[in-house]
Amino acid sequence: MVENDDVTYAKVNFSQSGSRKKNQSGINEREDVIYSNVNHLREGGSAPDVSSPEVRSKPNDPLPTPRSEVKTNKRTCHRSTMVLLVLSILLLVMTICLGVMVVLKADLEAALRENEKNLTDHFSQLKSLMKDKDNLTNHLETLAVNHSKEKIDLKNQLQGKNNETTKLKSQNEALALKNVDLMKNLSELQRKNADLESQLSASQESCASGWKPFNGKCYYFSTDVKNWADSRDACVTMGGHLVIIESAEELDFLKGVILSIKILSMSYWIGLTDSVTEGDWRWVDDTAFRSDSSFWERKEPDNWTKNNAHPEGEDCAHMSGLNGGHFMDAFCSDSKQRICESSLQCSKGG
């Protein structure tokens, strides 16, 4: 075997560990570093043939292509730069977004705190308004109750006034009718009195001065006033007695004289009393009163006690022009005029 003086050279490949990646066209590219061929030649020797199978480190290694490998690395660097640039931009955008979100979060939290404070204030105001509403409701209910009570009281008062007005109206109508009747009675009595006076004038009867004759008797109508007992005694002193009315004709005569005086407020004692036994009316000669009940005024005698100021009641009878000359009971202590009666032979001057 012949020895060769040349030094054996070896091809050294520096490969970068890592996976392959696809390029944009989908072809797998191998990321290899630039091949470096180390050839150590003896002086005066010739370079071996690289394509010779003897100089390859491995039978399957490809032939070195330095230009192609440089272009591939440049493209790879360009892509990496672009990727880094895009990532940087994305990172910047994300940073800006995060900053904006932090600012917005702070503003939102401040707004939420402000809203919470406002809501708290509004809730306090609402509670105050609800309390005022309750107070106002209670006040209105109280006013409504008081108003209802006042309304009921006023309604009752109005009803009472209406009833009183109706009663007064009825009384006024009754008085008007009574006044008409009294005027008719007055005209009739005046007519009868005129007839009686004509008859008396034609007769030979005569009475003392101040006395009026009728049907065989004389009658004196006083102008002074006394109580019933003093009036009775005064008539006796004058030779007579308080008048005793025994017929409707005699009553009509007396009524006519009273109404002819034209002072209707004058009231005259007559000789009738129930002072001995209540309800048992008797004349001064102790005879019982048996005349027609029409002699009395309507609803009389009523024995009024004047709210217990006179517990003995009204025990003496009188006549007045105000009621057409009908009998009425009165307190015996009252002061009134009187009608005395006597026979023609016994009458004296008043």
Side-chain angles (χ1 to χ4, degrees), residues 143-167:
L143 289 178
V145 171
N146 294 335
H147 178 69
S148 299
K149 291 181 179 178
E150 292 177 357
K151 183 178 179 181
I152 293 173
D153 293 340
L154 290 174
K155 186 176 181 181
N156 293 335
Q157 292 177 6
L158 179 61
Q159 185 64 35
K161 293 295 183 182
N162 290 336
N163 294 337
E164 185 177 354
T165 302
T166 303
K167 183 178 179 180

Side-chain angles (χ1 to χ4, degrees), residues 311-324:
E312 72 281 1
E314 297 176 317
D315 294 332
C316 296
H318 68 100
M319 297 173 63
S320 173
L322 291 176
N323 58 1

Side-chain angles (χ1 to χ4, degrees), residues 91-109:
L91 182 61
L92 178 61
V93 172
M94 291 178 65
T95 302
I96 293 173
C97 291
L98 288 174
V100 171
M101 290 178 66
V102 169
V103 174
L104 292 176
K105 180 182 178 183
D107 293 342
L108 182 60
E109 290 178 350

Side-chain angles (χ1 to χ4, degrees), residues 5-9 38-49:
D5 293 336
D6 296 333
V7 180
T8 305
Y9 63 92
V38 180
N39 295 325
H40 187 93
L41 301 177
R42 289 180 60 91
E43 185 179 355
S46 58
D49 187 4

Side-chain angles (χ1 to χ4, degrees), residues 20 29 31-32 48 74 81 84 105 110 137 187 194 229 231 242 266 275 292 312 322-323:
R20 297 178 178 178
E29 292 182 353
E31 297 179 356
D32 295 332
K74 286 182 178 179
T81 303
L84 289 175
K105 180 182 178 183
T137 301
S187 300
S231 296
L242 281 174
M266 286 186 177
S275 58
D292 192 343
E312 72 281 1
L322 291 176
N323 58 1

Side-chain angles (χ1 to χ4, degrees), residues 90-348:
L90 291 175
L91 182 61
L92 178 61
V93 172
M94 291 178 65
T95 302
I96 293 173
C97 291
L98 288 174
V100 171
M101 290 178 66
V102 169
V103 174
L104 292 176
K105 180 182 178 183
D107 293 342
L108 182 60
E109 290 178 350
L112 287 175
R113 286 193 295 271
E114 184 68 21
N115 289 336
E116 183 179 359
K117 181 181 178 182
N118 293 336
L119 287 175
T120 303
D121 295 340
H122 290 164
F123 183 71
S124 300
Q125 294 177 2
L126 181 60
K127 288 178 65 178
S128 178
L129 289 175
M130 292 296 292
K131 185 177 179 181
D132 293 341
K133 178 194 172 186
D134 293 338
N135 294 335
L136 182 59
T137 301
N138 295 333
H139 183 62
L140 289 175
E141 290 177 352
T142 303
L143 289 178
V145 171
N146 294 335
H147 178 69
S148 299
K149 291 181 179 178
E150 292 177 357
K151 183 178 179 181
I152 293 173
D153 293 340
L154 290 174
K155 186 176 181 181
N156 293 335
Q157 292 177 6
L158 179 61
Q159 185 64 35
K161 293 295 183 182
N162 290 336
N163 294 337
E164 185 177 354
T165 302
T166 303
K167 183 178 179 180
L168 291 174
K169 185 177 180 180
S170 300
Q171 292 178 354
N172 185 51
E173 292 175 352
L175 289 175
L177 294 174
K178 185 176 180 180
N179 184 57
V180 173
D181 294 337
L182 289 175
M183 294 304 295
K184 291 180 179 179
N185 293 335
L186 175 61
S187 300
E188 182 66 21
L189 288 174
Q190 288 176 344
R191 185 186 63 79
K192 289 181 179 181
N193 185 59
D195 293 341
L196 290 173
E197 287 182 352
S198 299
Q199 294 175 6
L200 290 174
S201 298
S203 67
Q204 298 299 320
E205 298 176 342
S206 62
C207 295
S209 176
W211 292 69
K212 294 182 180 295
F214 175 74
N215 201 17
K217 295 181 181 180
C218 296
Y219 299 89
Y220 175 76
F221 295 81
S222 73
T223 56
D224 61 324
V225 296
K226 297 178 182 295
N227 60 36
W228 188 87
D230 291 343
S231 296
R232 177 194 59 192
D233 296 342
C235 288
V236 172
T237 301
M238 296 177 70
H241 53 79
L242 281 174
V243 65
I244 299 173
I245 304 171
E246 299 175 323
S247 65
E249 291 77 14
E250 187 179 8
L251 178 62
D252 289 341
F253 164 73
L254 296 175
K255 286 181 180 180
V257 175
I258 292 173
L259 294 174
S260 66
I261 296 174
K262 297 182 180 180
I263 303 178
L264 300 180
S265 60
M266 286 186 177
S267 184
Y268 298 87
W269 288 122
I270 61 176
L272 185 65
T273 180
D274 70 342
S275 58
V276 177
T277 303
E278 180 62 35
D280 182 18
W281 288 92
R282 290 183 173 272
W283 296 104
V284 289
D285 62 355
D286 201 33
T287 58
F289 174 72
R290 297 186 177 88
S291 300
D292 192 343
S293 61
S294 62
F295 283 18
W296 290 98
E297 172 67 7
R298 187 171 61 93
K299 296 184 179 180
E300 293 286 339
D302 58 1
N303 196 37
W304 186 43
T305 62
K306 199 175 182 178
N307 299 326
N308 294 324
H310 293 270
E312 72 281 1
E314 297 176 317
D315 294 332
C316 296
H318 68 100
M319 297 173 63
S320 173
L322 291 176
N323 58 1
H326 291 87
F327 296 176
M328 297 180 65
D329 60 348
F331 302 120
C332 297
S333 58
D334 290 348
S335 295
K336 300 180 183 298
Q337 285 90 0
R338 62 190 176 278
I339 302 175
C340 298
E341 176 187 354
S342 69
S343 61
L344 288 175
Q345 294 80 10
C346 297
S347 63
K348 298 180 180 179

